[in-house]
Structures are given as structure tokens and as C-alpha cells.
Amino acid sequence: MITLTTDFGIKGPYVGEMKGAILTINPEARIIDITHSITRHSILEGSFVMEQVVKYFPPNTIHIGVIDPGVGTERRAIIVEGDQFLVLPDNGLATLPLKWIKPKAAYEINLKKIEGIIGRPISSTFHGRDVFGPAGALLDLGYEPSRLGKEIDLERIVKLDIEPKKKDNFWILKVIYIDDFGNIILNLEDYGKPEYIKILGKEILYLETYGKVKPGELLALPGSHDYLEIAVNQGSAAELLELRVGDEVEVELVYKEG
């Protein structure tokens, strides 16, 4: 089973080309489109989406992620092997899904080997079709990743700086995702149950779900992805607070005394 997460969009031929490359190598491949609508070049957004996906897929699933603004440069194309596989550029995209696949080894894909397998030159601008898709197809056929490239230091895979930071009574948090409803997901887990939060000069009640406030009102809540979430009932918190993925913001969590 192969999943695809990209920023290709759906207007052009790119998704179809990548699927064709996969199916040429492995006609029986089961391909599942996660999304091709990651914000262009947003590695952080792509990493969050891939994290959520790997939590719910069975062992040995191959997850191909292509958000790759550095395509054709010296950045590595890699495979991470765990109880599932990640096939992606080494640009930080692996940061969040790594937490869930029990990684045990990583490999740098040898482009010459892939070129020999696909029988044509690799494009310098479309590694989704010519590198990551074929590598994923071969893994799905049972190839050992060591046949596709040399082992590299798992600890030296590029990681995004998304650890929450404490400053006095505040957290310095980063917006790691904004969904189609405008809900803001922040990089804080395991924070207990505050009474309310303070952000951008606003005090926002912390509640269980969206319908606990009137339409148009802000709330904070435990999102379905286990991160702190800020939302507007039937509205967009991102628009109201003017926040985007990657923005940093000071947040104070206020708990009941006693």
C-alpha cells in the first residue's frame, strides 16, 4: 500500500504522471491519495499531514511525501525504514511522522540506480515522478531499501525546529497547520486542561468542542490530533487572529487554582 502527500495541486498532469511511474513498476500497487493540496513549498504543513496519516495506517505502508522546494539541489532523497516506510526529500518533511513509525534505519536513494531501473534520465525538477514514486513502488514489491541506496545516519536526517519553548509564564508556540475550517493547530502536546488561554491580547476559554460557544466566538480545545487547537465556531480562527502556518505566537495557559 502506497500513500501520496504532495503540493502538486490537481490542475496539471503531475499526480497522474507520478502514479503512472509507480504503476509501470508495480501494476498491482494500491495507491491512496492523502492530499495534493499542501500549501506550495510548506514543508511544515506537509510534515504535520504525514504525521497524522501514519498513525492510522497498517505496518509496511509506504508513505511518499513530495513537498520539495529544493528538488534538483544537493538535498538528499531518502527512505526511512520503520514499521512503515517514509520516502521523501531530506528537508525536514520527515520530522513529525518519524515519531510514529519506530524508525530503525535510513537510506540515501542512489539516483543512478533508480535511473537504471526506470530506463530513462531523471528530471532535475520532478523527483516525485522519477525518484520517489519508483522507489516507493519497489519497496511495495518487497525490495530491501539497501538495494536502492546506502545507509545513512538516522540521527542526522534534517529536522524542523518545532519544539515548543517556555518563556516565563508563556509558551512560544508555532502554527503547524491550519485546516480548511480555519482551525489553528499549535505545536503543544501534553499540556493538561487549562481554564483559558491568553493569545494576542485575547482571553479564550478552553472547552471540549466547537458547539460550546456561540457561532462566531473563539475557543481553545483539545484538537483531534492531540495538539492545542484554536477555533471559531462556524468561522475561521486563522482569519480572525491573522495567523499563518509557520507563525510564532506567545500563549499563556491559565489553570484553575487548586
Side-chain angles (χ1 to χ4, degrees):
M1 185 184 304
I2 298 171
T3 77
L4 305 179
T5 301
T6 80
D7 61 354
F8 293 170
I10 57 174
K11 182 178 180 181
Y14 307 115
V15 175
E17 290 179 61
M18 184 164 65
K19 288 183 176 181
I22 292 169
L23 293 169
T24 296
I25 293 170
N26 182 4
E28 302 302 317
R30 183 180 178 189
I31 303 172
I32 298 175
D33 296 284
I34 303 304
T35 180
H36 300 290
S37 298
I38 297 296
T39 301
R40 286 178 295 175
H41 315 309
S42 182
I43 296 165
L44 176 55
E45 184 177 315
S47 188
F48 171 82
V49 169
M50 292 191 74
E51 176 191 22
Q52 304 316 312
V53 168
V54 300
K55 292 180 187 179
Y56 301 104
F57 271 79
N60 297 315
T61 301
I62 293 100
H63 300 280
I64 301 176
V66 191
I67 298 89
D68 194 15
V71 62
T73 68
E74 293 301 310
R75 73 92 185 94
R76 300 180 295 187
I78 63 171
I79 297 166
V80 182
E81 180 184 15
D83 57 11
Q84 301 179 63
F85 292 89
L86 306 177
V87 183
L88 31 64
D90 187 22
N91 60 7
L93 190 56
T95 304
L96 291 171
L98 271 175
K99 298 190 303 182
W100 297 93
I101 67 164
K102 299 177 183 176
K104 62 182 182 181
Y107 303 83
E108 181 177 0
I109 299 172
N110 185 311
L111 302 191
K112 289 298 182 183
K113 286 186 177 181
I114 296 295
E115 197 168 69
I117 290 168
I118 66 176
R120 52 183 167 77
I122 289 173
S123 165
S124 62
T125 60
F126 198 178
H127 285 187
R129 178 193 65 196
D130 294 344
V131 178
F132 300 115
L138 292 165
L139 291 172
D140 198 41
L141 282 173
Y143 273 55
E144 292 295 327
S146 58
R147 293 179 63 182
L148 303 179
K150 66 178 181 180
E151 188 168 357
I152 58 176
D153 187 348
L154 183 61
E155 298 304 316
R156 302 197 61 167
I157 289 174
V158 174
K159 306 287 199 323
L160 301 174
D161 180 15
I162 51 174
E163 287 298 315
K165 301 174 178 66
K166 196 72 182 293
K167 178 184 176 183
D168 299 324
N169 294 326
F170 292 86
W171 286 97
I172 308 297
L173 301 181
K174 184 170 287 188
V175 178
I176 58 174
Y177 190 66
I178 295 172
D179 66 20
D180 286 348
F181 297 97
N183 300 325
I184 297 166
I185 297 170
L186 299 167
N187 60 326
L188 187 64
E189 304 173 279
D190 302 322
Y191 53 85
K193 188 176 181 181
E195 185 176 3
Y196 60 93
I197 72 168
K198 294 180 180 180
I199 179 173
L200 298 174
K202 300 180 183 295
E203 292 187 359
I204 303 173
L205 287 175
Y206 185 86
L207 300 165
E208 294 178 357
T209 191
Y210 312 104
K212 295 288 186 178
V213 297
K214 296 177 182 178
E217 290 185 350
L218 280 161
L219 73 152
L221 69 158
S224 61
H225 304 107
D226 301 321
Y227 289 102
L228 177 62
E229 183 175 319
I230 302 172
V232 170
N233 185 14
Q234 300 178 45
S236 171
E239 290 180 5
L240 184 61
L241 298 178
E242 298 182 338
L243 289 173
R244 300 180 299 176
V245 171
D247 285 348
E248 286 192 337
V249 63
E250 288 189 350
V251 180
E252 182 180 3
L253 280 64
V254 181
Y255 298 86
K256 288 183 179 179
E257 293 184 4

